[in-house]
Amino acid sequence: MTPIRHNGSGGPNGKGDPAAVSGAPEAAGDPVLDAVRDCVLAVGVRRTTMTDVARRAGVSRMTLYRRWPDVRSLVGDLMTREWVDVATRSMPERRPGTDTRTLIVDGLVAGVVAFRAHPLFRKIVDVDPELLLPYVLDRRGASQEALLALLTDALREGHADGSVRTGHPDRQARSLLLVVQSFTLSLRTMTDEDDPGLTAEAFLAELRTILERTLTP
């Protein structure tokens, strides 16, 4: 959901957080994470077992247990990989004559659209929504830390070029993430596709207005 390309992404998380990086969740093509993704898409998190994942990945269960204590920690690393990938893919490239604020807004709105369409996100929301609750109510996950780091850097660039309202960059980044998380997680509870003023597209336009007005100096 963050809008400007930077090299690398990361952000340590607190101990005990299932989304903390146990192995290398950011590495694309990890066969174990690919396997757990396939399992979750097929049957959901609660019905996925370490045996299922090991079989799909072509490794032993002991190999899995050396890196992850259970399925939830595995899924946490999977979510970190997938969510950071969605965010970075949503980032528009810099364009001549385009200020940082426009890039931030474009990236955040595109990120909301991409998250809501992501197969893993949709599966978890539909089948295992409680998996997301800790990151909404109790603590930040590794993917949230990574997104905040990227967003904070973007805001500092916006401060420097004068396109973003000057403020505490960390507070601004966290506030923006709170806004886009609410649209990502709860938008379908507010839409009414029979009313053209209450469609998902109309709310995304409203989100763009909110972000523009929040960031404009």
Side-chain angles (χ1 to χ4, degrees):
M1 287 184 282
T2 48
I4 302 175
R5 292 195 182 278
H6 296 270
N7 291 327
S9 60
N13 200 33
K15 292 181 179 180
D17 189 335
V21 180
S22 315
E26 72 280 9
D30 183 316
V32 174
L33 295 186
D34 290 345
V36 73
R37 179 196 59 207
D38 292 344
C39 288
V40 171
L41 289 176
V43 299
V45 175
R46 280 173 292 184
R47 294 177 60 188
T48 294
T49 68
M50 294 294 265
T51 300
D52 296 333
V53 175
R55 185 182 301 115
R56 281 183 182 261
V59 300
S60 69
R61 284 193 302 167
M62 289 309 300
T63 297
L64 294 187
Y65 283 117
R66 290 190 192 101
R67 293 175 63 186
W68 296 278
D70 51 34
V71 168
R72 279 186 171 261
S73 62
L74 242 177
V75 172
D77 276 4
L78 172 66
M79 289 193 297
T80 298
R81 184 187 73 169
E82 297 293 312
W83 303 164
V84 172
D85 180 66
V86 169
T88 55
R89 288 177 183 274
S90 299
M91 302 174 189
E93 297 283 357
R94 283 196 175 279
R95 305 181 298 274
T98 303
D99 61 33
T100 304
R101 184 182 73 249
T102 299
L103 295 175
I104 292 173
V105 173
D106 287 351
L108 289 172
V109 174
V112 170
V113 173
F115 268 96
R116 295 184 69 242
H118 193 284
L120 181 66
F121 178 79
R122 293 169 68 93
K123 185 71 172 185
I124 290 173
V125 168
D126 289 342
V127 179
D128 302 289
E130 69 281 358
L131 199 67
L132 299 174
L133 286 180
Y135 312 113
V136 176
L137 300 176
D138 297 326
R139 61 185 182 272
R140 296 190 299 276
S143 57
Q144 289 165 311
E145 293 289 2
L147 301 181
L148 285 172
L150 292 172
L151 188 51
T152 300
D153 286 347
L155 289 165
R156 289 195 175 102
E157 293 178 20
H159 296 162
D161 71 17
S163 64
V164 172
R165 174 177 56 84
T166 301
H168 190 294
D170 291 328
R171 185 177 65 242
Q172 286 181 314
R174 294 180 188 193
S175 297
L176 290 175
L177 188 56
L178 283 171
V179 172
V180 296
Q181 278 185 174
S182 69
F183 272 79
T184 301
L185 294 170
S186 303
L187 181 56
R188 69 178 179 177
T189 69
M190 296 296 163
T191 58
D192 183 349
E193 298 302 323
D194 293 330
D195 184 334
L198 296 175
T199 63
E201 291 74 18
F203 276 102
L204 290 170
E206 190 71 20
L207 172 62
R208 184 176 294 276
T209 299
I210 291 169
L211 296 173
E212 283 281 359
R213 293 187 177 182
T214 295
L215 294 175
T216 298

